[in-house]
Amino acid sequence: QVQLVESGGGLVQAGGSLRLSCVTSGYIFRINTMGWYRQVPGNHRELIATISTGGSTSYADSVKGRFTVSRDNAENTVYLQMDSLLPEDTAVYYCNLLPGTDWLVRYGYWGQGTHVTVSS
C-alpha cells in the first residue's frame, strides 16, 4: 500500500529548530528522488528541498543554509532538519516525488502533511 506519513511539526519560536520526518511505504518512493514541499493557505505548494536516492541534495533559495534534507533508505524515511526558523517558514510541510513524476501526475496522492508554526 502506498503511503506518505509526515510528522514532527509544531509551534516553535523564531530562531528555533524542528526535525520533520516522512515515512514512506511503496516501491515508487524508494527508487526515486524525493522532495519536501510547503504550502501556505491560499498559495501553491512550493518545492523547497530535494534528495536523490544517492544523497544528492538541492534547496530553494529561501531555505538554503538553514534546512538540511536527508534520507534513510533502509528505514524508508526522509528527513528535513530545519534550523534558524523564521516566521515566514510557517506552513504545512509535505514530502513526495518531484513535480512532473509520472506516478504523481497520474495519481495525485499526497500525505496529510505536518503543520509548522514559527512565532516571532
Side-chain angles (χ1 to χ4, degrees):
Q1 180 179 353
V2 171
Q3 198 171 17
L4 295 166
V5 180
E6 300 94 346
S7 64
L11 173 63
V12 64
Q13 287 190 329
S17 298
L18 284 173
R19 189 192 195 204
L20 307 185
S21 298
C22 171
V23 178
T24 72
S25 60
Y27 182 68
I28 190 68
F29 303 120
R30 290 199 298 273
I31 64 170
N32 278 288
T33 296
M34 293 293 292
W36 278 99
Y37 300 74
R38 65 186 181 188
Q39 186 173 24
V40 175
N43 289 3
H44 294 295
R45 280 193 186 98
E46 173 193 16
L47 179 65
I48 59 170
T50 70
I51 184 164
S52 71
T53 54
S56 297
T57 60
S58 67
Y59 300 93
D61 287 344
S62 57
V63 306
K64 196 175 295 182
R66 300 188 298 120
F67 291 10
T68 304
V69 60
S70 60
R71 69 191 294 170
D72 184 332
N73 293 327
E75 295 294 328
N76 297 319
T77 303
V78 184
Y79 301 98
L80 186 68
Q81 177 67 40
M82 306 190 297
D83 299 316
S84 302
L85 282 161
L86 304 169
E88 49 263 47
D89 294 320
T90 296
V92 181
Y93 285 72
Y94 303 86
C95 67
N96 213 325
L97 303 172
L98 297 188
T101 304
D102 287 346
W103 184 92
L104 183 57
V105 171
R106 180 173 184 176
Y107 295 105
Y109 170 79
W110 291 86
Q112 84 288 349
T114 187
H115 291 250
V116 172
T117 302
V118 184
S119 63
S120 57

